Amino acid sequence: DVKVTQSSRYLVKRTGEKVFLECVQDMDHENMFWYRQDPGLGLRLIYFSYDVKMKEKGDIPEGYSVSREKKERFSLILESASTNQTSMYLCASSLITGVLETQYFGPGTRLLVL
Amino acid sequence: KQEVTQIPAALSVPEGENLVLNCSFTDSAIYNLQWFRQDPGKGLTSLLLIQSSQREQTSGRLNASLDKSSGRSTLYIAASQPGDSATYLCAVKSTSGTYKYIFGTGTRLKVLA
């Protein structure tokens, strides 16, 4: 079974702090994704990566950056956390593109920025 | 731009009922459509994936259908159980715009014992 793990389930940070969210997958997937999920807005794509050191902006990249130094690890960075970044953050990975691509999700990190 | 809609937003049914969840999408140029389950405070679990060339997929008490030309998919749950209570999301992978899945906002299902 594919396993996607996220470093924290719950996180409380102060406004202005730099925040690191880590995601690790154990199935050698090329593609990795970071989403945030908010009530009424659904899942929105922040960034994705299709290979080591490669990244693409999603729909809402402002205020975020990412790092993919190793294939299994995809980090989301909040450079200066703000209260409007309080959300549920979900990481996902997938092996191939096209008709058979299936996304596998981690358990999520609920971030509260005070 | 692809948009995915799920109606209703919430549904409450007695145990044992057969039920249908709906998903509609605006652009029929898709690779596949995936149904997910999300329990409160948890990540998403994939239930079924239907390729664009397929009409339906089945897994146990779940059956998902796809009508690409009309931009619709349904998830049928037979003999619902309290353990089916969760939020169900659909997501489409468009052929335009690589690597992106577009998600609906989900249907929150409660099955009453």
Side-chain angles (χ1 to χ4, degrees):
Chain A
D1 272 357
V2 175
K3 193 162 185 185
V4 180
T5 56
Q6 295 182 229
S7 50
S8 305
R9 293 300 309 276
Y10 302 96
L11 215 48
V12 180
K13 295 292 181 181
R14 297 258 176 220
T15 302
E17 278 193 74
K18 191 168 186 175
V19 182
F20 293 86
L21 303 182
E22 300 280 331
C23 175
V24 177
Q25 50 93 4
D26 66 356
M27 284 301 290
D28 205 35
H29 285 178
E30 281 82 14
N31 307 320
M32 296 188 76
F33 308 80
W34 274 108
Y35 296 90
R36 63 177 283 176
Q37 184 179 31
D38 301 286
L41 297 177
L43 272 79
R44 293 179 291 167
L45 182 64
I46 304 171
Y47 268 97
F48 61 94
S49 169
Y50 50 90
D51 203 349
V52 175
K53 296 191 187 294
M54 305 301 286
K55 60 186 179 186
E56 291 280 346
K57 292 180 180 179
D59 299 316
I60 50 164
E62 296 79 19
Y64 304 94
S65 62
V66 291
S67 171
R68 190 150 180 219
E69 296 296 318
K70 294 185 177 181
K71 193 174 186 180
E72 67 270 19
R73 188 180 299 268
F74 192 34
S75 302
L76 180 70
I77 303 150
L78 286 66
E79 297 290 342
S80 177
S82 63
T83 54
N84 63 14
Q85 292 178 309
T86 291
S87 187
M88 174 72 141
Y89 289 88
L90 292 164
C91 174
S93 70
S94 68
L95 177 59
I96 54 176
T97 58
V99 296
L100 291 177
E101 180 180 356
T102 302
Q103 287 202 324
Y104 297 89
F105 281 81
T109 295
R110 189 167 293 280
L111 172 66
L112 173 63
V113 182
L114 300 173
Chain B
K1 181 186 171 187
Q2 179 74 269
E3 292 182 5
V4 180
T5 305
Q6 291 185 250
I7 295 173
L11 186 61
S12 192
V13 299
E15 182 178 8
E17 269 203 16
N18 301 324
L19 56 97
V20 173
L21 307 181
N22 297 296
C23 173
S24 60
F25 48 95
T26 55
D27 185 352
S28 61
I30 63 170
Y31 279 122
N32 63 44
L33 182 146
Q34 198 166 1
W35 282 94
F36 293 89
R37 169 186 173 135
Q38 185 177 30
D39 293 291
K42 302 282 181 66
L44 279 66
T45 301
S46 178
L47 297 173
L48 289 163
L49 180 142
I50 312 177
Q51 297 174 41
S52 59
S53 58
Q54 296 176 322
R55 298 284 294 186
E56 64 178 333
Q57 280 284 345
T58 298
S59 176
R61 292 183 295 109
L62 305 179
N63 175 276
S65 68
L66 175 64
D67 184 344
K68 206 171 62 164
S69 60
S70 68
R72 290 174 186 248
S73 176
T74 60
L75 179 67
Y76 176 83
I77 303 177
S80 58
Q81 303 170 358
D84 295 329
S85 298
T87 297
Y88 292 81
L89 297 100
C90 68
V92 298
K93 180 104 168 50
S94 291
T95 56
S96 60
T98 56
Y99 305 106
K100 286 189 184 183
Y101 269 94
I102 307 298
F103 285 81
T105 52
T107 294
R108 190 170 64 254
L109 172 66
K110 187 166 187 178
V111 181
L112 305 170

